[in-house]
Amino acid sequence: MTCHPTLIKKLYAHLLECGDSEFNNAVRSAGQDDATLFIHVPVLRRNDLYGAIVDYIAAERTLEISGVPSTDAGKDAKAAMEHRQSDANRTKKLILKEIFESIQVQLAGGAEVLGDTLTEQLENGGKKACERLYSEFKTADIEGWGKVYDRASRSADANALAAIGHNGEADKHPICTTIKRFIGVMKTGAEIRENFFSAPYGWPKDTVDGALYAMLAAGVLKAVDNQEQPVDPKNLERPKVGQTKFRPEDVSLSRAHLIRVRSLINAIGVSCTAGEEQSKLGQAISTAKQIARSAGGDAPLPLPPQTTMLNELEVLSGNAQLMAAYERQTAIMDELERWKALAEKVTVRQQQWGELKDAVRYCKGLASYQELQTEIQAIEKNRSLLKEPNPVLPLLKEAIEALRVAIMAKYDDFQNEHQSCLQDLQEDATWNKLTEQRQKALLAKHHLDKLEMAPLDSNHRVIDCIDNTSLEQWNDKTSALVGRFDRVRRDAIAELEPKVQPVSLPKPIIRSEADLESWMQEVRTTISTSLEQGPVSLR
């Protein structure tokens, strides 16, 4: 008989108790490749065996029921029953021995299995059945597949099969040829393992994985992970082989091709060693695109340059992608150098653009403000920040100069007012009673002693200066000088005459001589009242 198609990957023993003719027909009806063992149990003295078994069981039960006899007659009956049981057991064993000695073991198709005992026949038959079931095992019965896996996975050695003595092309080895044929268009690692772990192969894990990794390293196969990202033998973790998809490569690459691709990947800025070209090329393409994006941007920058060659590379995979990278290496390198130069230019121009925007912001209210704003808007509209000659530097120079002139004008006003207030203070009789040392100390106390300003000899110093003190704040500082010097004078009076009373004079609006007389009378009254308490100082 023939095994069911769903059972051909397992070993089966078919035991038949029948005549010789029926057994021979069953054996011959099975195919020569069937791994089933047929065991023939001949029909010998069946009635005698059944009778011996029945007698043995009947005697056994009678003895159990009778118990222990107490009379001589009972003891004689028990002895007779035990003798009957012994005879039945001896007969049963003799018949069974005769049957076992007559059992025959044959392989499907009629191949005889040798052996002096039934145990030897079953062992020898099992071995022959295994040879039939795993008919392709001998192909892989070679030591060293573990070393093949190690060489391919650790260093992506394209000649990893040399570990088992094969120095030809990887896909020409019988194991690799068979696995590649099974892969067809695409198979997962789990499907490949399941197929070759089972009959008719029964290949060990090291053999299957070693062949897969060796073909990956040699460029015979390509592989992607469950995210459809390329993987190479060096970064394909063994526990993830099952979910990895393997496909045959249609393009062959030489070592020179790979060296040039590797140099391109490293030039882009992605570290790549031998055997990593396939997995690192995608990363290099992404990095190159990022460099291209940094060569342009939002207005006033021009749009980033087109990455047509990289886009065309990106849609390819495996050796086809590597070959395309090899063929376009020079063109990509030229583009890359141009993008890098533009990216550096972007960095410089954006810094200058930021300085210009800051400077023009502070120019609001100056005569050049509107013209500068118009030029800035034109650069933004035309996205001309990277144009030559540099459109930013002249505008930046103009804005900085306008701010420098405005700041110096405010500073001159401040200095003039300071000099005027200082002169009024120096003409004050009370002030002149102080020593020069005390005068300097009081001026320092109110921060009126040092007027020096850092030279505005760079863009940063001009911006820092106006950032610290705006043009409007310069006006406030100048207006506040009168009050600040008045406080210095009051401190001088307080120091010389501690009992002096400060008196604030009323400050009404005077519209006529009558208003003036009224005010003078009010001031006289206020001062006279205060003088009764001591000397006064007017505010």
Side-chain angles (χ1 to χ4, degrees):
M1 68 180 284
T2 303
C3 287
H4 191 277
T6 61
L7 305 180
I8 61 173
K9 293 185 179 181
K10 298 180 181 179
L11 285 177
Y12 291 90
H14 191 184
L15 188 145
L16 296 171
E17 185 184 8
C18 60
D20 291 344
S21 177
E22 185 180 352
F23 177 76
N24 290 332
N25 290 336
V27 170
R28 293 191 184 105
S29 65
Q32 293 285 341
D33 296 329
D34 196 326
T36 303
L37 282 176
F38 286 84
I39 303 171
H40 180 214
V41 180
V43 181
L44 294 175
R45 301 179 61 187
R46 179 178 295 177
N47 293 334
D48 293 342
L49 179 60
Y50 288 166
I53 293 172
V54 169
D55 289 346
Y56 178 85
I57 293 173
E60 183 179 48
R61 290 181 178 176
T62 301
L63 289 171
E64 289 175 354
I65 294 171
S66 299
V68 180
S70 56
T71 63
D72 292 339
K75 291 177 181 180
D76 291 342
K78 180 181 179 183
M81 190 57 64
E82 288 175 343
H83 181 72
R84 181 179 177 182
Q85 182 187 34
S86 177
D87 284 345
N89 189 43
R90 184 170 53 256
T91 300
K92 179 189 69 174
K93 288 181 178 181
L94 287 172
I95 295 172
L96 288 174
K97 183 175 182 293
E98 184 179 350
I99 291 173
F100 278 110
E101 288 176 347
S102 301
I103 289 177
Q104 290 184 344
V105 178
Q106 291 189 26
L107 276 173
E112 186 179 0
V113 178
L114 301 177
D116 294 333
T117 65
L118 178 59
T119 301
E120 288 182 3
Q121 288 186 64
L122 290 173
E123 288 178 351
N124 294 335
K127 290 177 182 178
K128 288 182 177 294
C130 283
E131 290 174 0
R132 280 192 179 185
L133 182 62
Y134 296 101
S135 57
E136 299 296 327
F137 178 78
K138 288 183 179 180
T139 310
D141 193 13
I142 304 171
E143 292 291 334
W145 280 104
K147 294 179 180 178
V148 172
Y149 168 79
D150 289 340
R151 287 176 60 166
S153 62
R154 292 175 183 173
S155 58
D157 185 356
N159 197 32
L161 289 170
I164 56 171
H166 180 80
N167 293 301
E169 296 179 18
D171 57 345
K172 296 299 186 289
H173 188 279
I175 296 293
C176 297
T177 300
T178 303
I179 291 178
K180 184 182 177 186
R181 187 185 304 116
F182 171 74
I183 289 172
V185 177
M186 189 278 290
K187 289 288 190 303
T188 65
E191 292 172 321
I192 297 168
R193 282 175 169 175
E194 180 183 5
N195 184 72
F196 291 101
F197 288 175
S198 304
Y201 303 98
W203 293 346
K205 184 177 181 180
D206 277 351
T207 301
V208 178
D209 289 0
L212 285 175
Y213 276 74
M215 286 192 284
L216 273 181
V220 174
L221 297 179
K222 57 185 175 181
V224 295
D225 59 21
N226 55 5
Q227 302 297 320
E228 293 297 326
Q229 295 300 311
V231 291
D232 57 53
K234 289 176 71 173
N235 63 27
L236 174 55
E237 299 175 17
R238 200 167 191 178
K240 295 182 179 179
V241 168
Q243 56 190 339
T244 301
K245 297 175 182 177
F246 294 88
R247 294 180 174 90
E249 280 287 10
D250 300 322
V251 179
S252 298
L253 294 171
S254 68
R255 186 173 180 178
H257 290 142
L258 294 175
I259 290 174
R260 193 166 180 183
V261 172
R262 197 156 61 242
S263 69
L264 171 63
I265 295 171
N266 283 299
I268 290 172
V270 176
S271 177
C272 180
T273 59
E276 295 180 326
E277 296 85 2
Q278 196 166 102
S279 63
K280 293 295 182 70
L281 181 56
Q283 184 181 343
I285 291 172
S286 297
T287 301
K289 281 189 166 186
Q290 181 59 45
I291 294 172
R293 284 193 290 271
S294 67
D298 296 331
L301 289 170
L303 291 170
Q306 295 293 318
T307 56
T308 305
M309 281 191 293
L310 296 179
N311 295 340
E312 292 172 352
L313 274 183
E314 205 166 28
V315 300
L316 300 174
S317 64
N319 282 6
Q321 187 183 57
L322 294 175
M323 180 60 78
Y326 164 79
E327 293 170 346
R328 303 177 189 184
Q329 188 234 23
T330 301
I332 293 173
M333 288 295 296
D334 291 343
E335 289 280 75
L336 188 66
E337 290 305 313
R338 185 172 68 86
W339 296 338
K340 286 181 177 179
L342 281 174
E344 292 176 2
K345 192 174 183 180
V346 165
T347 301
V348 174
R349 293 286 176 91
Q350 281 187 318
Q351 181 181 351
Q352 295 170 348
W353 179 254
E355 290 179 10
L356 175 61
K357 297 277 282 187
D358 286 341
V360 172
R361 177 167 55 89
Y362 287 118
C363 286
K364 194 170 184 178
L366 301 182
S368 59
Y369 175 73
Q370 194 55 51
E371 182 182 347
L372 289 169
Q373 276 291 90
T374 301
E375 293 293 339
I376 286 176
Q377 290 169 4
I379 293 173
E380 289 177 332
K381 180 180 179 180
N382 298 324
R383 306 180 77 116
S384 56
L385 185 59
L386 301 185
K387 292 289 186 181
E388 294 296 346
N390 190 331
V392 177
L393 288 182
L395 299 178
L396 179 59
K397 182 179 179 180
E398 181 181 347
I400 291 295
E401 186 58 30
L403 289 175
R404 184 184 288 110
V405 170
I407 292 170
M408 292 309 300
K410 296 297 182 181
Y411 181 63
D412 288 343
D413 292 343
F414 180 81
Q415 278 189 314
N416 293 336
E417 181 66 13
H418 182 279
Q419 187 61 37
S420 175
C421 292
L422 180 60
Q423 186 175 347
D424 290 343
L425 181 63
Q426 289 172 344
E427 292 174 355
D428 186 89
T430 303
W431 176 256
N432 288 317
K433 292 179 182 180
L434 293 173
T435 64
E436 183 178 351
Q437 183 179 2
R438 287 303 303 150
Q439 289 177 350
K440 289 181 178 179
L442 285 175
L443 288 172
K445 175 184 176 182
H446 290 273
H447 307 291
L448 293 168
D449 55 333
K450 295 179 180 178
L451 296 183
E452 295 85 359
M453 184 172 65
L456 304 178
D457 55 1
S458 70
N459 294 355
H460 289 301
R461 286 192 172 183
V462 172
I463 296 299
D464 288 345
C465 179
I466 200 166
D467 194 40
N468 291 329
T469 308
S470 68
L471 298 179
E472 291 78 10
Q473 287 172 328
W474 274 110
N475 292 336
D476 295 339
K477 284 182 66 172
T478 302
S479 300
L481 282 173
V482 173
R484 292 170 67 188
F485 273 98
D486 187 53
R487 286 193 290 275
V488 173
R489 191 180 69 83
R490 289 201 303 270
D491 285 356
I493 293 172
E495 187 174 316
L496 293 171
E497 304 220 21
K499 295 183 180 181
V500 170
Q501 307 169 71
V503 175
S504 298
L505 298 181
K507 298 179 178 62
I509 298 175
I510 298 174
R511 297 183 175 86
S512 63
E513 287 290 336
D515 289 344
L516 177 59
E517 286 296 332
S518 175
W519 176 76
M520 292 176 66
Q521 184 58 44
E522 183 181 357
V523 168
R524 180 181 293 276
T525 301
T526 301
I527 294 174
S528 296
T529 302
S530 297
L531 283 173
E532 294 175 359
Q533 306 298 324
V536 298
S537 171
L538 300 180
R539 291 184 179 179

